[in-house]
Amino acid sequence: MNIGIIGATGYGGVELYRILANHRYVENIHLYTSSAEKKSYIDEYPHLSHIKENELKPLEPDQIKEENDVVFLATPSGISASLTPELLDDQLKIIDLSGDLRLKNSDDYEKWYKKAPAPEMLLQEAVYGLTELYREDIKNAKILANPGCYPTATLLGLAPLVREKIVKENSIIVDAKSGVSGAGRNASLATSFVEIQDNFKIYKVHQHQHIPEIEQELHKWDEKVGFISFSTHLVPMTRGIMATMYIELLEEWNTSKLVDLYESFYKHSPFVRVRTNGTFPSTKEVCGSNYCDIGLAFDQRTSRLTVVSVIDNLMKGAAGQAVQNFNIMSGFQENEGLNFLPVYP
């Protein structure tokens, strides 16, 4: 297959390239950017020197449609909303890694992203690509909205409970932390070394744009789940997300029974690993891989459940999940090209 990556100079773009360059069903990869066109890719990423030689191409929609079977948009929010309509074609499949096509309510997008939304037709056609929950919809998708990194970790951690309809209304608290690569490659004061190193800070309090995305999916599964409290923190590490969730249940459970529920729910999901009773994952244990590891424990004293979900934000939180969805859309094995062992230590 011929694959295009738009936004190839960003971290999500180069991670897509790393995966797809070793995918046995990918023949050609075309790289597009508006920031460094006609340069060699190794000028942007010298670690590819003497391994892969690709020239960065300009964003010309007609050429992109002619050259590719599938296009990944690894662009900042606000670009896909206007670019995707220009790429629509009977033959071309589109996988968008930005947030532009995730929210079905365009008013929510304007409120939380502070940008003009995509056309209504696109929003309704785009399939939300949380792979483990929507495989059947993904199989027939022509336009796919790849989930955000925080929503992926959070929703996979909550799905067995919410789908079982055992969560008390308005009781979900999510305390999430991310590595700095989640902020993208563009330089900013907030993510500079001096600001980040030896520091740990909360940001976008009650204002993070992933809140409506998480609630949208939770309400599909159980409209009585209500609103969530969601806090995000920046950690001085490159990769990784940990979402620690505190949930009140409608009835008392024990940890062993809940572990059984999770293991049964994800028994056909090769990239979700449920930890045994009493053990919890760390971010380094999934680094460089497409795994989501989940640990949980029910506190009999407070009647509150704690769920810990970890992913690599550039893999399962972005490029890895996008390729997982590409595989399903193309009729390949779900784990094709993704059987990386985590990098440890």
Side-chain angles (χ1 to χ4, degrees):
M1 298 184 75
N2 297 312
I3 305 300
I5 301 174
I6 299 175
T9 57
Y11 292 139
V14 74
E15 194 75 339
L16 280 169
Y17 187 73
R18 180 174 76 93
I19 301 167
L20 294 169
N22 292 288
H23 195 294
R24 63 175 171 164
Y25 296 121
V26 173
E27 183 173 1
N28 297 301
I29 304 174
H30 303 114
L31 307 175
Y32 307 95
T33 181
S34 60
S35 62
E37 59 190 59
K38 297 188 178 178
K39 291 175 64 177
S40 170
Y41 203 30
I42 62 173
D43 292 337
E44 289 289 317
Y45 288 109
H47 71 285
L48 299 173
S49 181
H50 300 292
I51 302 172
K52 296 287 183 181
E53 297 288 341
N54 284 80
E55 184 181 89
L56 294 164
K57 299 182 177 185
L59 294 179
E60 297 177 357
D62 289 341
Q63 181 182 355
I64 292 170
K65 288 188 284 187
E66 184 178 325
E67 292 179 335
N68 300 289
D69 302 304
V70 178
V71 170
F72 294 83
L73 281 83
T75 58
S77 296
I79 295 175
S80 176
S82 58
L83 183 57
T84 300
E86 298 183 55
L87 296 174
L88 291 179
D89 183 274
D90 289 341
Q91 305 304 317
L92 187 67
K93 293 183 178 180
I94 297 169
I95 299 174
D96 179 33
L97 280 74
S98 80
D100 288 5
L101 306 182
R102 297 174 192 155
L103 299 180
K104 295 301 183 183
N105 186 325
S106 58
D107 292 338
D108 285 342
Y109 181 85
E110 283 192 275
K111 174 183 175 181
W112 291 88
Y113 282 81
K114 308 293 189 289
K115 301 178 189 293
E120 191 68 25
M121 177 273 293
L122 273 184
L123 297 179
Q124 299 312 313
E125 185 176 350
V127 172
Y128 188 71
L130 188 64
T131 318
E132 285 73 18
L133 277 296
Y134 301 125
R135 285 188 184 91
E136 291 304 311
D137 295 331
I138 292 166
K139 283 180 183 178
N140 300 312
K142 278 187 59 66
I143 303 172
L144 186 130
N146 211 58
C149 49
Y150 281 127
T152 296
T154 301
L155 290 168
L156 290 177
L158 292 173
L161 307 170
V162 179
R163 292 287 285 258
E164 193 73 11
K165 294 182 167 53
I166 58 173
V167 173
K168 188 179 294 186
E169 185 175 2
N170 297 331
S171 75
I172 297 174
I173 299 172
V174 183
D175 180 25
K177 294 98 174 170
S178 174
V180 185
S181 62
R185 197 181 187 201
N186 288 337
S188 73
L189 177 63
T191 57
S192 67
F193 179 85
V194 174
E195 296 288 326
I196 292 298
Q197 182 66 8
D198 293 327
N199 200 6
F200 182 42
K201 57 185 178 181
I202 193 168
Y203 68 101
K204 292 186 178 179
V205 179
H206 305 315
Q207 297 178 358
H208 201 285
Q209 69 272 18
H210 286 165
I211 292 173
E213 180 181 341
I214 295 168
E215 291 181 343
Q216 171 182 271
E217 300 310 306
L218 294 178
H219 294 160
K220 284 182 189 175
W221 307 334
D222 183 1
E223 61 184 16
K224 295 180 180 178
V225 77
F227 298 115
I228 65 171
S229 294
F230 183 77
S231 300
T232 53
H233 307 76
L234 208 52
V235 182
M237 63 184 185
T238 300
R239 290 173 178 253
I241 280 179
M242 176 179 283
T244 305
M245 292 158 274
Y246 309 98
I247 307 108
E248 293 182 46
L249 305 181
L250 293 174
E251 56 191 76
E252 188 163 308
W253 291 60
N254 61 53
T255 302
S256 295
K257 186 179 176 183
L258 285 163
V259 169
D260 289 344
L261 171 67
Y262 274 70
E263 288 180 340
S264 175
F265 191 88
Y266 288 120
K267 64 182 176 181
H268 299 302
S269 297
F271 292 114
V272 178
R273 305 186 296 186
V274 180
R275 294 300 177 91
T276 56
N277 191 340
T279 64
F280 292 88
S282 67
T283 56
K284 184 154 281 195
E285 290 161 3
V286 296
C287 182
S289 79
N290 199 48
Y291 290 110
C292 173
D293 285 9
I294 299 172
L296 56 146
F298 187 80
D299 186 349
Q300 302 287 345
R301 188 177 63 85
T302 63
S303 296
R304 188 176 291 117
L305 171 65
T306 299
V307 178
V308 178
S309 175
V310 300
I311 62 171
D312 182 322
N313 57 291
L314 293 178
M315 283 292 294
K316 186 60 173 168
Q321 185 163 219
V323 173
Q324 190 179 354
N325 287 323
F326 159 70
N327 286 336
I328 293 173
M329 293 165 71
S330 305
F332 306 143
Q333 288 291 321
E334 186 173 324
N335 58 355
E336 179 63 47
L338 289 167
N339 288 319
F340 301 117
L341 293 177
V343 178
Y344 198 97

